[in-house]
Amino acid sequence: MLKKFTGFKKKNIKSEADNTLLDDKNIPKHVAIIMDGNGRWANKRGLPRIAGHREGMNVIRKIVRRANEIGVETLTLYAFSTENWKRPKSEVEFLMRLPEMFLNKELPTLMEENVVIRLTGSKENLPKHTINAVDKAISATKGNDGLILNIALNYGSRSEIIQAVKKVYESLEKEQLPIDSISEEMLNKHLMTGDLRDPDLLIRTSGEIRLSNFMLWQLAYAEFWFTEVLWPDFTEEHFNEAIRVYQKRARRYGGV
Ligand code: IPE
Ligand code: IPE
Ligand code: MG
């Protein structure tokens, strides 16, 4: 049933996008976003790439609020891949400052909106200041029970799978289990996202049609939505559009 979006599910949530037709019975529970195009956004304006990253950070705020108010349970944002270390040092340094810039500014609002912060990715090689900022936000928000904002930072899906395979091997050894006891559930449990459900919807901005080593296992049955819009230009209305398209898809999972 199509229902006019008439109000906010939770207190303290304010958004301008209140005129959207969404089926409130079919909201994707887990949305994952590859936030791409910050550099091109800046280039087009003759600005340094970091200006695009800064602008992109401001978009996150709006999308988190919007996702929360329509009842998305988990929002995973790809913020830095294991391949992004290849970028110039100054850009990497800026990207490593972004989580604390975002969290320092937004933590009070995220608390008000009942958001839970979590991290998916390796802490190895992350600067101490980045880890501290994220850890502080994780512990501050751990008692909340609203939207889970899962930040994929220093994340790469292949290395995640390798880690999981090693843990599966260890558990077989430890418990003296036969190789046939390896199951999808067992491997899944050892992924960094082991306690999260798989994404229902993947959004990628900036016109690139690829996964860039993002959640290869978890996205097995996700619906994909790509847009040419660059991440700093992405709005709540684009997000709504992605949800609307998702709601028209028939998810068959191999059935009929
Ligand atoms: C996405 O924007 C942000 C990160 C990958 C950290 P890009 O920085 O990749 O922007 P483009 O793709 O170069 O435009
Ligand atoms: C993917 O974007 C990583 C993030 C958005 C954090 P990239 O810009 O790094 O991906 P490629 O290089 O275009 O595949
Ligand atoms: Mg890019």
Side-chain angles (χ1 to χ4, degrees):
M1 188 188 65
L2 278 181
K3 200 177 144 214
K4 189 163 193 307
F5 180 74
T6 50
F8 305 116
K9 280 192 72 168
K10 300 183 184 95
K11 278 195 309 190
N12 299 325
I13 297 174
K14 305 171 204 76
S15 151
E16 286 146 41
D18 60 352
N19 54 352
T20 309
L21 288 169
L22 288 179
D23 176 357
D24 62 356
K25 303 276 184 309
N26 187 20
I27 299 293
K29 291 197 164 65
H30 184 172
V31 178
I33 308 184
I34 303 177
M35 310 179 288
D36 199 10
N38 295 348
R40 278 163 283 167
W41 183 92
N43 275 346
K44 281 206 310 195
R45 287 163 179 76
L47 298 169
R49 291 177 57 84
I50 60 167
H53 297 314
R54 192 180 288 119
E55 194 66 23
M57 186 182 83
N58 297 326
V59 174
I60 294 176
R61 166 90 294 277
K62 291 185 271 182
I63 300 308
V64 169
R65 183 189 292 156
R66 181 72 187 140
N68 202 0
E69 72 191 16
I70 66 170
V72 171
E73 292 171 7
T74 305
L75 180 68
T76 295
L77 300 178
Y78 203 8
F80 191 90
S81 76
T82 47
E83 288 69 37
N84 288 147
W85 295 106
K86 293 176 194 158
R87 296 186 176 204
K89 193 163 169 270
S90 59
E91 182 173 347
V92 169
E93 272 172 13
F94 187 82
L95 288 168
M96 287 300 145
R97 287 283 168 197
L98 271 184
E100 64 204 270
M101 282 162 67
F102 175 76
L103 293 167
N104 283 345
K105 193 161 152 222
E106 301 295 345
L107 195 54
T109 321
L110 294 168
M111 285 300 293
E112 251 178 65
E113 293 179 2
N114 208 12
V115 171
V116 182
I117 304 284
R118 64 170 277 165
L119 181 71
T120 291
S122 167
K123 283 187 177 173
E124 219 175 291
N125 301 326
L126 288 183
K128 237 196 151 61
H129 63 84
T130 314
I131 298 175
N132 289 344
V134 175
D135 280 349
K136 189 180 134 203
I138 291 172
S139 63
T141 61
K142 71 167 184 275
N144 293 347
D145 60 4
L147 176 90
I148 297 170
L149 174 55
N150 181 33
I151 305 171
L153 190 67
N154 194 19
Y155 173 81
S157 187
R158 287 188 168 186
S159 73
E160 175 194 36
I161 291 170
I162 298 286
Q163 291 304 315
V165 169
K166 288 180 186 167
K167 286 185 189 153
V168 166
Y169 179 80
E170 275 170 12
S171 74
L172 292 192
E173 289 256 281
K174 197 168 149 218
E175 290 161 51
Q176 293 289 300
L177 293 169
I179 196 152
D180 283 342
S181 63
I182 298 177
S183 63
E184 289 189 15
E185 288 69 31
M186 189 188 254
L187 191 104
N188 191 61
K189 195 178 78 188
H190 289 296
L191 295 174
M192 292 167 177
T193 54
D195 56 331
L196 295 176
R197 53 184 290 138
D198 287 343
D200 302 291
L201 171 64
L202 170 79
I203 296 172
R204 183 170 188 154
T205 59
S206 89
E208 309 298 355
I209 315 291
R210 56 174 169 262
L211 289 177
S212 303
N213 202 13
F214 186 55
M215 297 189 125
L216 305 179
W217 171 282
Q218 297 89 332
L219 291 170
Y221 264 108
E223 298 298 325
F224 287 14
W225 187 75
F226 297 98
T227 174
E228 296 283 327
V229 174
L230 304 174
W231 178 251
D233 291 328
F234 194 78
T235 64
E236 292 144 308
E237 198 34 58
H238 296 119
F239 186 72
N240 289 343
E241 178 59 18
I243 308 277
R244 260 182 242 123
V245 170
Y246 168 85
Q247 295 189 331
K248 290 193 193 121
R249 302 266 179 93
R251 303 187 75 188
R252 283 184 288 273
Y253 300 97
V256 288

